[in-house]
Amino acid sequence: MYLGVFDLKQRLEHTRKLLKDKIRLKELLDEDIKELEQSVKDIEDMMSRCDKPVLV
């Protein structure tokens, strides 16, 4: 039976490494999204405080 160019164990190891890397990248992206959402919320809060008229 012809298995192709790749050894099955080597292919499995490569697939596991790719999956691990992608999971880590997803975690990093999720962290970045949370930080960006918090920044947007902070900016919106700052803007809402600035919108209030200041009595002189």
Side-chain angles (χ1 to χ4, degrees):
M1 180 173 169
Y2 180 70
L3 296 176
V5 177
F6 296 103
D7 177 24
L8 289 179
K9 286 183 182 181
Q10 180 184 8
R11 193 169 182 181
L12 179 61
E13 288 175 21
H14 181 70
T15 302
R16 283 184 177 149
K17 182 183 180 302
L18 285 175
L19 181 59
K20 184 179 176 182
D21 290 345
K22 287 183 180 192
I23 289 171
R24 180 63 184 140
L25 285 173
K26 183 185 179 300
E27 290 170 353
L28 290 171
L29 284 170
D30 287 342
E31 289 175 18
D32 285 348
I33 289 169
K34 286 179 183 177
E35 289 177 11
L36 286 169
E37 287 173 339
Q38 183 62 45
S39 293
V40 168
K41 184 177 180 282
D42 292 344
I43 291 171
E44 288 173 339
D45 289 345
M46 288 175 14
M47 288 177 62
S48 70
R49 280 185 262 139
C50 290
D51 288 344
K52 296 178 183 176
V54 177
L55 296 174
V56 181

